[in-house]
Amino acid sequence: MRLLVTGGLGFIGSNFIRHVLTEHPGVRVVNLDLRTYAGNPANLADLRGNPRYRWIKGDIADPFIVKRCMAGADAVVHFAAETHVDRSILDAGAFLRTNVVGTDVLLRAALKNGVERFVHVGTDEVYGSVPRGFSTESDRLLPNSPYAASKAAGDLLARSYFVTHGLPVIVTRASNNFGPYQFPEKALPLMITNWIDDKPYPLYGDGRQVRDWLYVLDHVRALDLILRRGRPGEVYNVAGGYSCANRELVERVRRLMEKPRDLVKRVPDRPGHDRRYALNFSKLKKLGYRPAHGFGAALARTVDWYRGHETWWRPLKKDGGYRAYYRRQYAARLGAAS
Ligand code: TYD
């Protein structure tokens, strides 16, 4: 199988590529990735020289490069996206270009090329905040952040290509991922790497926001299953099955890393911050998916991974763009600690 993966230098995409190349000797991967701030060739450094893997640097919103990459592809797994909610609050432009326009360019090229499967990797944030119960795939979409709105637009565009053109599209909606190679702007890697350096972690608002946590190695197994056994036209929720409030998460990690309480710094809340996400993923369970990693063990492995990979994350945090973002996002909130 020839697989076109987009955004394969990112966190989930790189874990997915490593997974499929390890598990399926018959798979060849072309990775179309622009190498934005969050895309990092170091995430797949171990694949250098692998004849079944090729990275092509390019923008999914560029029809010429997409046409080139799509040629000969049997299936597409589309990860490429701007993903950080806080950045979308500062400026949503790149989110619209990549998550909406880029998705449309890919869908059009996939249709022309007659691909057998197009998996659009999405997020539970499209459902908006769920005060109680669990979101099922047929629930209405009520995205609240510019990020979530752009992902909902891509998700609905993908659906429209199935309904209108018969493109065999499958949409996934996953909960909060964590694990190795996650860019240190997201909650868990920011917390862990700040604490390795005894710097404070900014906890937004009252910390009672609830998230479901999905270990990235479970997520990529689920995506592999969906690619092979999912039904075109369907949507699949993907969750880890462990949920907690942010303040509980912080306490867990703090105890695990043996850090003092004063490294948790309450800061003003994120505007429009969703209080709770929760997914019903029984449809995916019927396909045969079960999370293989318990949350506690996966969290401990993740902390160990960041402790053991300082050469991976330190250059990212030293980068001028990261520092400018961090200052803009946190300086007023954290004071001198930024
Ligand atoms: P994040 O990793 O940004 O994922 P998302 O917003 O997509 O769920 O954040 C996870 C949760 O942690 C979310 O409720 C926001 C919160 N959070 C903080 O409290 N402080 C932070 O510095 C960050 C980045 C997130």
Side-chain angles (χ1 to χ4, degrees), residues 69-91:
C69 295
M70 196 66 76
D74 300 307
V76 180
V77 184
H78 172 34
F79 293 93
E82 293 291 336
T83 65
H84 194 40
V85 173
D86 292 317
R87 286 188 192 253
S88 79
I89 294 168
L90 296 173
D91 182 355

Side-chain angles (χ1 to χ4, degrees), residues 95-111:
F95 290 73
L96 297 183
R97 178 177 163 81
T98 299
N99 304 359
V100 187
V101 177
T103 297
D104 181 54
V105 170
L106 280 171
L107 287 163
R108 227 177 318 145
L111 183 63

Side-chain angles (χ1 to χ4, degrees), residues 83-86 123-125 145 147 175-177 182 185-191 201-205 207 209-211 213 246 249-250 265 267 269-270 273-275 277 325-326 329-330 333:
T83 65
H84 194 40
V85 173
D86 292 317
T123 169
D124 61 355
E125 303 198 21
S145 70
Y147 158 68
S175 60
N176 281 66
N177 277 235
Q182 189 170 27
E185 63 184 355
K186 295 282 166 65
L188 265 172
L190 181 68
M191 194 186 303
Y201 170 73
L203 181 65
Y204 294 163
Q209 305 84 6
V210 173
R211 297 289 184 269
W213 291 97
N246 290 338
L249 181 72
V250 158
K265 176 111 172 150
V267 298
D269 209 350
R270 168 192 280 171
H273 196 173
D274 284 333
R275 296 296 286 177
Y277 300 135
Y325 164 75
Y326 195 87
Q329 181 67 17
Y330 295 115
R333 295 164 163 180

Side-chain angles (χ1 to χ4, degrees), residues 187-248:
L188 265 172
L190 181 68
M191 194 186 303
I192 296 166
T193 57
N194 275 13
W195 284 352
I196 288 174
D197 284 342
D198 291 318
K199 286 187 175 164
Y201 170 73
L203 181 65
Y204 294 163
D206 61 7
R208 289 178 192 267
Q209 305 84 6
V210 173
R211 297 289 184 269
D212 174 282
W213 291 97
L214 170 61
Y215 191 46
V216 69
L217 298 182
D218 280 328
H219 188 189
V220 299
R221 281 178 40 250
L223 289 171
D224 190 11
L225 183 69
I226 289 165
L227 174 65
R228 278 150 212 287
R229 297 222 216 113
R231 267 190 43 191
E234 297 289 327
V235 178
Y236 294 90
N237 287 343
V238 188
Y242 175 85
S243 75
C244 67
N246 290 338
R247 56 186 205 165
E248 290 164 33

Side-chain angles (χ1 to χ4, degrees), residues 293-307:
H293 302 86
F295 177 75
L299 184 64
R301 275 174 70 174
T302 301
V303 169
D304 283 347
W305 190 87
Y306 282 90
R307 280 185 174 136

Side-chain angles (χ1 to χ4, degrees), residues 14 16 24 57 59 126 140 169 178 185 191 213 269 281-282 303 315:
S14 61
F16 176 76
H24 307 293
K57 185 174 190 289
D59 186 347
V126 297
R140 63 187 178 161
V169 168
F178 70 102
E185 63 184 355
M191 194 186 303
W213 291 97
D269 209 350
F281 57 112
S282 48
V303 169

